Amino acid sequence: MHNGAMTVTENTADLGGITLAHAALKRFLAKNPTQDVDGLNADQRCFVAWSQMWAYKGRSERLRFLVSVDVHAIASVRAIAPLLHLDAFHQAFGTRPGDAMWRAPEKRLRIW
């Protein structure tokens, strides 16, 4: 279990990072449209790439240690938690109530 007080600043930074990265992508795409690749549009690829960036496999002992001392959430949390707060993520994948990745709009955090 993470210590939210210990990871809050880095969690906020992750949310800000993906928010800005996606905004930069949208700005670029406004002048440079792209086609779908492997059935995914640019927004979807952005969010999949974010999650893939955090791919990590560690022994349970290592993960327990990291949760106790690291100011960052473990990779599996960083891979998906910020995305749950982005309207653009939910629009890109068409999530709805009942979906595993759904977060109601009123529960989504916005930092800007």
Side-chain angles (χ1 to χ4, degrees), residues 3 11 16 18 24 29 33-34 38 42 48-49 51 54 57 63 65 70 77 82-83 91 102-103 107 109:
N3 176 341
N11 296 344
I18 187 57
L29 291 174
T34 63
D38 295 330
V48 168
S51 291
W54 298 111
K57 186 170 180 104
L63 296 175
F65 172 74
D70 196 347
V77 172
L83 301 179
Q91 291 166 359
W102 171 255
R103 174 151 304 179
K107 294 190 179 215
L109 300 176

Side-chain angles (χ1 to χ4, degrees), residues 18-100:
I18 187 57
T19 299
L20 290 174
H22 185 256
L25 173 65
K26 296 305 277 184
R27 188 173 179 174
F28 174 82
L29 291 174
K31 296 179 182 175
N32 306 281
T34 63
Q35 301 210 355
D36 291 0
V37 175
D38 295 330
L40 298 174
N41 63 40
D43 290 330
Q44 292 169 327
R45 291 194 316 273
C46 174
F47 300 130
V48 168
W50 171 269
S51 291
Q52 289 176 330
M53 175 177 69
W54 298 111
Y56 174 81
K57 186 170 180 104
R59 295 176 58 158
S60 59
E61 296 86 0
R62 175 71 177 159
L63 296 175
R64 278 194 296 278
F65 172 74
L66 289 175
V67 166
S68 71
V69 298
D70 196 347
V71 296
H72 301 89
I74 58 174
S76 60
V77 172
R78 297 179 84 181
I80 62 168
L83 301 179
L84 301 177
H85 296 283
L86 298 180
D87 294 338
F89 168 80
H90 294 283
Q91 291 166 359
F93 289 100
T95 61
R96 297 183 295 205
D99 291 343

